[in-house]
Amino acid sequence: KMGLTGCNIDKVVNISGKICPYTVMETRDALKEIGAGQVLEVITDYKPAATESIPNFCEKKKYPVEVIENTDGTFRLLIKKEE
């Protein structure tokens, strides 16, 4: 499975300071703004969103997702919008 790191990022959304359900809602809205095959980067400081709710949402949609934990406690999620 090819990783999404190093992929071209088509859109970045920073949802730091937001908690569920807003994290998933904003991620979903941002995904609506990009085309199939494009990659969305989500920045969040809310661990449950980064490790559970957003990956679960992506799994339901069958979108590949990669979670990167930064040293400052924030997370980068790379989500590929599939067809």
Side-chain angles (χ1 to χ4, degrees), residues 5 7 9-11 18 36 38 45-46 50 59 64 72 74:
T5 324
C7 268
I9 307 289
D10 298 287
K11 184 176 173 67
K18 304 265 170 78
Q38 292 191 310
D45 56 3
Y46 188 59
E59 206 174 299
D72 62 0
T74 61

Side-chain angles (χ1 to χ4, degrees), residues 27-28 43 46:
T27 300
R28 184 192 61 206
I43 299 160
Y46 188 59

Side-chain angles (χ1 to χ4, degrees), residues 1-5 7-11 27 31 34-42 54 57-59 61-67 77-83:
K1 162 179 156 0
M2 235 188 69
L4 295 173
T5 324
C7 268
N8 198 28
I9 307 289
D10 298 287
K11 184 176 173 67
T27 300
L31 282 163
I34 63 171
Q38 292 191 310
V39 176
L40 171 71
E41 177 178 331
V42 179
I54 297 173
F57 165 79
C58 293
E59 206 174 299
K61 291 277 201 186
K62 308 238 184 315
Y63 293 166
V65 59
E66 204 163 299
V67 181
L77 286 86
L78 302 177
I79 302 164
K80 185 169 186 192
K81 182 175 183 173
E82 294 286 22
E83 301 295 334

Side-chain angles (χ1 to χ4, degrees), residues 8-53:
N8 198 28
I9 307 289
D10 298 287
K11 184 176 173 67
V12 178
V13 61
N14 188 334
I15 55 171
S16 293
K18 304 265 170 78
I19 60 163
C20 298
Y22 304 104
T23 49
V24 172
M25 284 159 54
E26 295 209 13
T27 300
R28 184 192 61 206
D29 291 347
L31 282 163
K32 284 179 185 162
E33 293 169 23
I34 63 171
Q38 292 191 310
V39 176
L40 171 71
E41 177 178 331
V42 179
I43 299 160
T44 181
D45 56 3
Y46 188 59
K47 191 172 184 174
T51 57
E52 291 170 41
S53 57

